[in-house]
Amino acid sequence: MVILSHNQWLHARSYGRADSVTRPRILVVGAGFAGVACVRRLERRLAEREAVITLLSPFSYQLYLPLLPQVAAGC
């Protein structure tokens, strides 16, 4: 799996460094819970040589909000 922020993806496209393979490319836009779950399922079902899976997110991190109040409270 390749995880790129939006700026990294644009940079790779503009300089021709995107994968130039003959395998199908799967682009998942959005790295929320659904996007990450989709990519994980695809990775389990497809072999590495079957497709190139790219997860595109506007951020270079993933924030898991359900635990944020416990972290802030120090529990």
Side-chain angles (χ1 to χ4, degrees):
M1 171 178 57
V2 178
I3 302 176
L4 298 174
S5 69
H6 182 69
N7 289 339
Q8 291 169 329
W9 184 71
L10 289 176
H11 180 74
R13 274 189 64 204
S14 64
Y15 288 100
R17 291 188 343 205
D19 291 322
S20 59
V21 295
T22 58
R23 295 179 289 172
R25 297 179 192 178
I26 300 171
L27 178 64
V28 179
V29 179
F33 289 114
V36 171
C38 176
V39 168
R40 290 185 69 201
R41 281 192 176 175
L42 285 170
E43 282 186 327
R44 278 188 251 136
R45 291 178 187 238
L46 300 174
E48 188 174 330
R49 65 185 177 279
E50 288 184 276
V52 176
I53 303 170
T54 304
L55 179 62
L56 182 63
S57 173
F59 309 107
S60 60
Y61 59 88
Q62 178 158 9
L63 183 61
Y64 185 67
L65 291 177
L67 292 178
L68 193 58
Q70 286 86 354
V71 171
C75 297

